[in-house]
Amino acid sequence: MNGKVVAGALLSMVFSIATAEARGPYGSINVGNWKGGAFTNDQTGMFSHCVAGANYDSGIYFMVMIDQGSAWSLGFQHPKWSFANSQSFPIALTFDGQSPFYVQGVAVGTSLVKVPMPTDSALIVQFRKAKAMTAFTQGQLFQFKLDQTALLLPTLANCVAVVKQQGVANVRDFSVRLAPKPVATTPPPVGGSLRPDGPQTLRRKCRSKPSSWRRISFSRPRCITRES
């Protein structure tokens, strides 16, 4: 079973599609180490969510998901975890060594944990721009290198938008491109002309006549005096 199928099955449970299994993936999400796609409810055939996940050396499968209602969540799964269903516990999430976010994790099944991410929260903003994340809970610290999350979240949002518009049968690649950063321009020399096609000019006071000004033209090396 490939990573996208695993992600779909796990996140179907995470987001309370409790009586049905997920079917998919439809289309593809490939952003760095994140793999996924769109999934449907196996009972109804209706679109349910878009998900992407990545495996870590710790054995944790880390997932990011957005459902058909545009609600975001994180999912963490490890085969050796054992939780009571609906068990909840505090988790401290830290991004790039900044101040932690204290969230509530909820166990769905025995080895799966769900953490909601409100769309307009500072948590999702930090997740999008961070390079690393740690999760501390129940006396254990878990570390995650975040790969291209600034591109992952728009790709997942695009997945939902495209599926709603075209249906799952017609989708392919959900990739998006980030707008390029503006290129910084070099300011013109201080005191120079702003006309690139004209001679650069400077003004200084004449020593011989304090009440007058001289203009020095680099295209014609002579001094023109203008009385004040």
Side-chain angles (χ1 to χ4, degrees), residues 3-209:
K4 290 185 288 185
V5 174
V6 172
L10 291 172
L11 283 174
S12 295
M13 291 186 292
V14 169
F15 290 89
S16 301
I17 308 177
T19 60
E21 294 181 357
R23 175 173 292 182
Y26 299 92
S28 64
I29 294 173
N30 293 281
V31 178
N33 295 325
W34 304 93
K35 312 296 179 186
F39 292 81
T40 61
N41 183 308
D42 197 31
Q43 280 191 342
T44 65
M46 301 295 292
F47 168 61
S48 58
H49 61 277
C50 291
V51 61
N55 283 303
Y56 285 81
D57 292 339
S58 61
I60 293 176
Y61 193 73
F62 182 20
M63 296 154 280
V64 185
M65 181 266 197
I66 178 172
D67 66 19
Q68 75 278 14
S70 298
W72 293 91
S73 288
L74 303 178
F76 303 89
Q77 189 272 342
H78 194 290
K80 293 185 179 180
W81 289 346
S82 181
F83 302 113
N85 194 34
S86 299
Q87 177 184 350
S88 63
F89 42 86
I91 302 175
L93 298 178
T94 303
F95 299 98
D96 293 338
Q98 302 298 313
S99 299
F101 290 87
Y102 297 99
V103 299
Q104 199 74 6
V106 179
V108 182
T110 59
S111 63
L112 199 55
V113 177
K114 161 193 170 181
V115 177
M117 284 201 306
T119 303
D120 58 350
S121 68
L123 171 60
I124 199 169
V125 172
Q126 288 298 318
F127 179 79
R128 180 169 182 166
K129 66 182 182 180
K131 302 297 182 183
M133 184 188 82
T134 62
F136 182 78
T137 184
Q138 297 186 326
Q140 297 186 67
L141 181 67
F142 303 97
Q143 298 179 332
F144 304 90
K145 179 181 177 181
L146 300 181
D147 181 28
Q148 300 186 48
T149 51
L151 183 58
L152 174 64
L153 298 191
T155 302
L156 284 164
N158 185 54
C159 173
V160 172
V162 170
V163 171
K164 285 185 174 181
Q165 183 180 32
Q166 301 180 8
V168 293
N170 301 312
V171 297
R172 294 189 179 183
D173 185 6
F174 297 113
S175 297
V176 296
R177 292 184 179 181
L178 296 180
K181 294 182 179 180
V183 178
T185 57
T186 304
V190 176
S193 169
L194 297 179
R195 295 181 298 132
D197 56 340
Q200 296 296 304
T201 60
L202 297 172
R203 291 176 181 260
R204 65 178 175 83
K205 282 209 173 181
C206 297
R207 293 182 182 177
S208 57
K209 294 183 178 181

